[in-house]
């Protein structure tokens, strides 16, 4: 945010901290998740967060909780969180009866579990929406619970979710939408983890360069939204509290107070002087903030609500110019895939993520062929297409095509026996 980013010299090999502000420098990478043919795996070495009430810690680092090892603790005098590490993979799979987004977590028994995102709640009292298989973050007691009935009974001390993934009917997991490293949400509550490091704007130096504060947060903080509320999550430097400002102004000139919708929810960043200000008691007061994340708490039915959008890139994280090899690697095919059902010839399907559609078959007749095409919304064949043909029977024939998430893939074939039809995920799509 601001004009500091435009001051970066092309001769520099790295982003300099007096040329950028309002960004994340480091985000703890405690969770790694993979997909493999419809199954989801929380990989060995991953760490999940377990909310554990409102009393001071009674367990220590190295003790066992939920079949894992406590490796860190966050206690702010009000809410306790244990960080639990697992030294073996936690694999979870099932055959869903419909398609939806799924929330994945580690249950108090130490096994991976999930709940549909529409059955996901947070608040000080149990949800009154009658639905089987619910999950609830009890904000009053700081405990995550799940129910296998209709809310008559609850199992306590589950972890915060570690990801949101999409499932397809009769297939299983096909796409990971959010991995909760550094930031996450549960119901209408969004959290920012300890260990997140950022730059807070702090004016300008005499030579015009940006003067910033580098800060690493030492505890987990969270905040709960209201129905239908957009929420930009910030961390207040020094006090280490979470705060939100729904109405943002990014401009040099002071905003007109007559335009404000609600008192106490307005924030203004001036790129000219590199300061954040919030509107309180009739005046703009300078504060030291680090923008962290964004969530949109949309009203989905009359009975319940949840954040339906989460973007950790609302504020940016700096990459060194020398990271180009890493960035390019994210577009290459990875080792994870799902098996797809072959539609009728010239039928279509939608790419679940960035990756590669791959067909392998054997010819049953002369001039057998397979083809893959990308089609646009008007059903016109796009620029990418590939067709392979063999003149003889009994030959292996294969083709692949890179695709972006959401693109329409048309599949054509004649005279073949299918060996496999897969979607291979790009490295950066999981």
């Amino acid at each position: 945010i601001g004009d500091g980013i435009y001051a970066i010299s092309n001769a520099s090999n790295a982003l300099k901290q007096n040329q950028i502000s309002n960004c994340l420098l480091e985000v703890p990478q405690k969770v790694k998740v993979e997909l493999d043919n419809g199954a989801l795996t929380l990989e060995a070495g991953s760490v999940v967060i377990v909310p554990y009430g409102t009393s001071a810690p009674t367990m220590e680092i190295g003790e066992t909780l939920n079949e894992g090892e406590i490796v860190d603790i966050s206690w702010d005098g009000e809410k306790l969180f244990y960080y639990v590490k697992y030294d073996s993979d936690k694999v979870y799979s099932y055959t869903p009866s419909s398609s939806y987004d799924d929330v994945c977590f580690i249950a108090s028994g130490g096994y991976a579990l999930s709940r549909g995102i529409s059955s996901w709640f947070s608040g000080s009292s149990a949800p009154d929406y009658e639905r089987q298989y619910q999950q609830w973050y009890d904000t009053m007691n700081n405990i995550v619970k799940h129910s296998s009935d209709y809310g008559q009974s609850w199992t306590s001390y589950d972890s915060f979710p570690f990801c949101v993934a999409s499932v397809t009917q009769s297939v299983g997991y096909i796409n990971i939408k959010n991995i909760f490293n550094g930031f996450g949400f549960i119901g209408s509550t969004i959290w920012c983890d300890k260990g997140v490091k950022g730059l807070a704007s702090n004016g300008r130096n005499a030579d015009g360069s940006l003067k910033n504060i580098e800060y690493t947060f030492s505890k987990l903080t969270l905040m709960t939204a209201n129905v239908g509320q957009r929420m930009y999550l910030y961390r207040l430097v020094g006090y280490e509290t979470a705060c939100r400002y729904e109405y943002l102004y990014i401009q040099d000139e002071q905003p007109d107070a007559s335009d404000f919708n609600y008192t106490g929810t307005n924030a203004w960043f001036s790129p000219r002087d590199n300061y954040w200000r919030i509107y309180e008691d009739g005046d703009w007061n300078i504060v030291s903030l680090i923008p962290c994340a964004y969530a949109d708490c949309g009203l989905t039915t009359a009975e319940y609500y949840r954040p339906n959008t989460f973007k950790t890139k609302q504020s940016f994280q700096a990459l060194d110019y020398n990271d180009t090899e890493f960035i390019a690697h994210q577009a290459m095919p990875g080792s994870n895939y799902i098996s797809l059902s072959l539609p009728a010839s010239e039928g279509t399907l939608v790419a679940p993520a960035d990756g590669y559609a791959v067909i392998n078959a054997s010819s049953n007749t002369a001039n057998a062929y397979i083809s893959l095409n990308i089609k646009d919304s008007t059903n016109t064949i796009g620029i990418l297409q590939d067709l392979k043909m063999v003149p003889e029977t009994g030959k292996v024939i294969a083709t692949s095509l890179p695709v972006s998430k959401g693109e329409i893939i048309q599949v054509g074939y004649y005279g073949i026996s299918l060996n496999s039809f897969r979607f291979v995920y790009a490295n950066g799509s999981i």
Side-chain angles (χ1 to χ4, degrees):
I1 300 175
D3 62 357
I5 191 67
Y6 302 111
I8 297 173
S9 169
N10 289 331
S12 173
N13 277 331
L15 300 179
K16 297 180 180 178
Q17 292 189 10
N18 65 350
Q19 295 173 318
I20 58 175
S21 64
N22 296 309
C23 74
L24 303 176
L25 297 176
E26 293 181 15
V27 175
Q29 300 297 297
K30 298 173 180 174
V31 172
K32 186 172 183 181
V33 183
E34 287 196 351
L35 294 179
D36 188 4
N37 203 23
L40 183 144
T41 300
L42 177 69
E43 292 195 341
S46 293
V47 176
V48 299
I49 302 169
V50 180
Y52 214 78
T54 57
S55 300
T58 57
M59 290 185 284
E60 298 180 352
I61 292 175
E63 293 191 50
T64 298
L65 175 64
N66 295 357
E67 303 298 323
E69 179 188 1
I70 298 174
V71 293
D72 203 355
I73 300 171
S74 178
W75 165 245
D76 63 359
E78 295 181 357
K79 287 182 169 60
L80 171 63
F81 302 91
Y82 287 116
Y83 291 73
V84 180
K85 179 181 178 182
Y86 292 95
D87 291 329
S88 60
D89 290 349
K90 298 292 182 179
V91 181
Y92 185 66
S93 65
Y94 68 104
T95 303
S97 57
S98 58
S99 301
Y100 48 88
D101 287 344
D102 222 16
V103 181
C104 306
F105 59 98
I106 299 296
S108 56
Y111 50 87
L113 197 58
S114 71
R115 292 290 184 261
I117 199 168
S118 61
S119 299
W120 204 18
F121 306 88
S122 69
S124 58
S125 58
D128 57 8
Y129 182 64
E130 292 187 0
R131 189 185 185 103
Q132 194 175 13
Y133 302 118
Q134 299 177 98
Q135 188 184 29
W136 166 39
Y137 173 45
D138 181 348
T139 57
M140 176 72 71
N141 296 297
N142 190 41
I143 299 171
V144 177
K145 312 173 182 181
H146 73 270
S147 177
S148 296
D149 49 33
Y150 287 83
Q152 293 91 343
S153 59
W154 296 92
T155 300
S156 298
Y157 299 108
D158 298 332
S159 78
F160 271 157
F162 56 81
C163 78
V164 176
S166 299
V167 295
T168 290
Q169 182 178 1
S170 303
V171 174
Y173 290 101
I174 63 166
N175 181 41
I176 297 175
K177 301 188 69 173
N178 293 122
I179 296 178
F180 290 155
N181 278 315
F183 311 93
F185 60 91
I186 178 169
S188 55
T189 299
I190 186 171
W191 79 81
C192 178
D193 200 1
K194 63 184 298 187
V196 170
K197 179 190 290 186
L199 281 182
S201 57
N202 188 40
R204 289 185 179 269
N205 297 305
D207 63 359
S209 61
L210 302 180
K211 183 169 59 174
N212 299 301
I213 300 172
E214 180 180 310
Y215 197 87
T216 302
F217 296 101
S218 62
K219 63 184 181 182
L220 182 146
T221 57
L222 43 76
M223 179 161 283
T224 300
N226 296 322
V227 176
Q229 188 175 59
R230 297 174 304 165
M231 184 163 64
Y232 293 87
L233 180 70
Y234 295 84
R235 295 290 291 275
L236 189 61
V237 172
Y239 297 97
E240 292 217 14
T241 57
C243 48
R244 67 171 182 263
Y245 300 99
E246 300 170 69
Y247 301 95
L248 304 180
Y249 301 85
I250 312 296
Q251 60 192 54
D252 288 334
E253 303 304 323
Q254 178 175 304
D256 185 351
S258 64
D259 294 334
F260 298 163
N261 294 299
Y262 299 99
T263 302
T265 60
N266 302 280
W268 164 40
F269 177 73
S270 170
R272 182 169 55 198
D273 63 16
N274 192 39
Y275 277 121
W276 277 102
R277 296 173 175 86
I278 59 173
Y279 193 75
E280 294 178 321
D281 301 323
D283 198 5
W284 286 103
N285 300 312
I286 292 176
V287 291
S288 188
L289 299 174
I290 296 179
C292 291
Y294 169 78
D296 184 8
C297 187
L299 187 65
T300 54
T301 72
E303 291 84 15
Y304 65 92
Y305 55 92
R306 58 173 177 81
N308 51 34
T309 305
F310 180 73
K311 300 176 181 177
T312 59
K313 296 298 184 183
Q314 188 69 34
S315 52
F316 60 86
Q317 182 175 350
L319 284 173
D320 192 283
Y321 285 122
N322 292 323
D323 289 332
T324 52
E325 181 179 352
F326 167 80
I327 296 169
H329 181 65
Q330 305 312 300
M332 297 298 102
S335 60
N336 299 297
Y337 68 89
I338 57 172
S339 298
L340 302 174
S341 298
L342 192 66
S345 184
E346 308 307 323
T348 62
L349 66 155
V350 177
D354 295 334
Y356 300 78
V358 182
I359 298 181
N360 184 291
S362 299
S363 60
N364 292 331
T365 185
N367 298 322
Y369 76 88
I370 54 178
S371 68
L372 290 169
N373 297 296
I374 294 178
K375 306 192 75 174
D376 63 22
S377 58
T378 62
N379 223 28
T380 302
I381 293 176
I383 190 170
L384 280 182
Q385 49 190 296
D386 190 69
L387 182 146
K388 296 289 172 47
M389 179 181 290
V390 293
E392 304 174 44
T393 61
K395 300 294 182 181
V396 174
I397 180 173
T399 187
S400 64
L401 196 68
V403 294
S404 297
K405 180 179 179 179
E407 285 186 321
I408 301 171
I409 307 169
Q410 183 186 55
V411 184
Y413 53 89
Y414 166 73
I416 64 164
S417 293
L418 182 68
N419 296 324
S420 64
F421 181 27
R422 295 175 175 176
F423 182 86
V424 179
Y425 291 90
N427 285 308
S429 66
I430 313 182

